[in-house]
Amino acid sequence: TAAILSRASWSLQSVNPGLKTNSSKEPKFTKCRSPERETFSCHWTDAVHHGSKSLGPIQLFYTRRNIQEWTQEWKECPDYVSAGENSCYFNSSFTSIWIPYCIKLTSNGGTVDEKCFSVDEIVQPDPPIALNWTLLNVSLTGIHADIQVRWEAPPNADIQKGWMVLEYELQYKEVNETKWKMMDPILSTSVPVYSLKVDKEYEVRVRSKQRNSGNYGEFSEVLYVTLPQMNQFTCEEDFYFPWLLIIIFGIFGLTVMLFVFLFSKQQRKEN
């Protein structure tokens, strides 16, 4: 694939020997992204005009390459609308997962930017959804608590049939903090978070990537975790703990007294 992409890039230069270094006023690609390995879209910046000279209409052309066929056949973008302004959308009919693509932006017949890639390299899943949490336990001191965070995979990611295998990264922080704490990537859609401070509010977010390739997608909506106040647990412990201790010592005392009584009674009988 690397050799094919290299040849495709060289082919672009040979077709456009006068290709200029992209200046700040010319449109350039910002990103190409596939959310589910079945479609993808490419986006570019607006043209900035200086003086009387202006660029003509911006068009995107693409070509697909394979080892058996190496022809220079450029086709125009199939859909300039669906992915928004300054974009080109490729639906499943125009998407091949393992065949490299080369794309170029043109204006007035000249190329202003170009890019080569395979779809598998630009996978960025949509955010996970339906985040929720449950309380696992509270420490005996009532200072820390453990929770379980759960979520669902992006709706358009076909994980049931194994077309995509997603890896998740959970981040959390106290609401008044600026730095997120990052947990190790996992493959499951739930993870315990330990030793959170009681009487604090936390923010939790999750993002995902295709395992072994692609980049992380956008984060999910923030999940707010408000743990019960410490004094609630303290009062509860203060209420139950002494009574339990009294009951235990009471039973023990009664047992000792009963044993002493029976023992003394037995001694009197023997005398």
Side-chain angles (χ1 to χ4, degrees):
T1 300
I4 294 175
L5 292 177
S6 177
R7 291 180 60 188
S9 180
W10 174 86
S11 179
L12 279 170
Q13 295 288 346
S14 64
V15 171
N16 299 279
L19 183 64
K20 301 176 293 181
T21 302
N22 190 30
S23 68
S24 60
K25 70 178 182 179
E26 295 174 338
K28 63 182 302 184
F29 288 113
T30 55
K31 69 173 182 178
C32 290
R33 170 181 175 261
S34 172
E36 66 319 59
R37 301 180 79 210
E38 298 177 7
T39 66
F40 72 95
S41 59
C42 291
H43 302 256
W44 56 90
T45 59
D46 279 319
V48 179
H49 305 295
H50 295 283
S52 58
K53 185 178 179 181
S54 63
L55 295 173
I58 302 301
Q59 296 173 287
L60 181 144
F61 290 88
Y62 73 98
T63 184
R64 291 184 287 193
R65 302 299 187 192
N66 57 59
I67 297 175
Q68 290 77 23
E69 182 181 358
W70 192 261
T71 58
Q72 189 70 39
E73 183 182 1
W74 292 93
K75 299 178 181 179
E76 190 171 0
C77 166
D79 183 351
Y80 285 110
V81 177
S82 296
E85 189 177 4
N86 297 334
S87 71
C88 178
Y89 176 72
F90 295 79
N91 64 28
S92 57
S93 300
F94 296 92
T95 302
S96 300
I97 190 68
W98 291 289
I99 298 177
Y101 285 73
C102 278
I103 56 176
K104 63 181 179 179
L105 290 177
T106 66
S107 175
N108 296 326
T111 299
V112 294
D113 198 13
E114 52 91 13
K115 181 181 180 70
C116 293
F117 57 88
S118 68
V119 173
D120 225 30
E121 295 172 337
I122 60 170
V123 173
Q124 286 184 284
D126 287 341
I129 62 170
L131 271 69
N132 64 85
W133 68 279
T134 54
L135 181 66
L136 293 178
N137 56 70
V138 180
S139 65
L140 292 176
T141 60
I143 298 175
H144 296 95
D146 305 328
I147 66 171
Q148 186 84 13
V149 180
R150 295 180 174 84
W151 59 88
E152 296 178 10
N156 60 357
D158 188 358
I159 61 174
Q160 300 298 328
K161 298 179 181 178
W163 182 241
M164 292 187 73
V165 178
L166 295 183
E167 187 175 86
Y168 300 94
E169 179 190 80
L170 182 142
Q171 297 184 3
Y172 68 98
K173 70 177 182 69
E174 290 184 25
V175 169
N176 59 350
E177 291 181 337
T178 57
K179 186 176 181 180
W180 293 85
K181 295 178 182 177
M182 186 186 311
M183 299 187 66
D184 292 334
I186 58 172
L187 297 178
S188 65
T189 55
S190 69
V191 63
V193 183
Y194 298 110
S195 297
L196 299 181
K197 295 179 182 178
V198 172
D199 201 19
K200 297 289 184 180
E201 186 177 16
Y202 287 85
E203 294 177 294
V204 178
R205 63 185 185 182
V206 182
R207 62 180 178 175
S208 62
K209 67 184 289 292
Q210 182 179 227
R211 190 182 185 188
N212 299 326
S213 65
N215 299 308
Y216 277 109
E218 297 293 329
F219 280 103
S220 66
E221 293 185 0
V222 171
L223 171 68
Y224 290 93
V225 177
T226 303
L227 296 170
Q229 295 182 359
M230 184 174 62
N231 56 8
Q232 293 178 340
F233 293 98
T234 304
C235 293
E236 185 177 345
E237 290 174 356
D238 288 343
F239 179 77
Y240 286 104
F241 180 76
W243 282 110
L244 180 61
L245 196 61
I246 290 172
I247 293 171
I248 292 173
F249 278 104
I251 294 173
F252 178 76
L254 289 173
T255 303
V256 172
M257 290 175 62
L258 181 60
F259 176 79
V260 171
F261 173 76
L262 293 176
F263 179 77
S264 60
K265 187 176 181 180
Q266 183 66 28
Q267 290 291 352
R268 287 196 299 269
K269 286 182 179 180
E270 292 177 355
N271 293 333

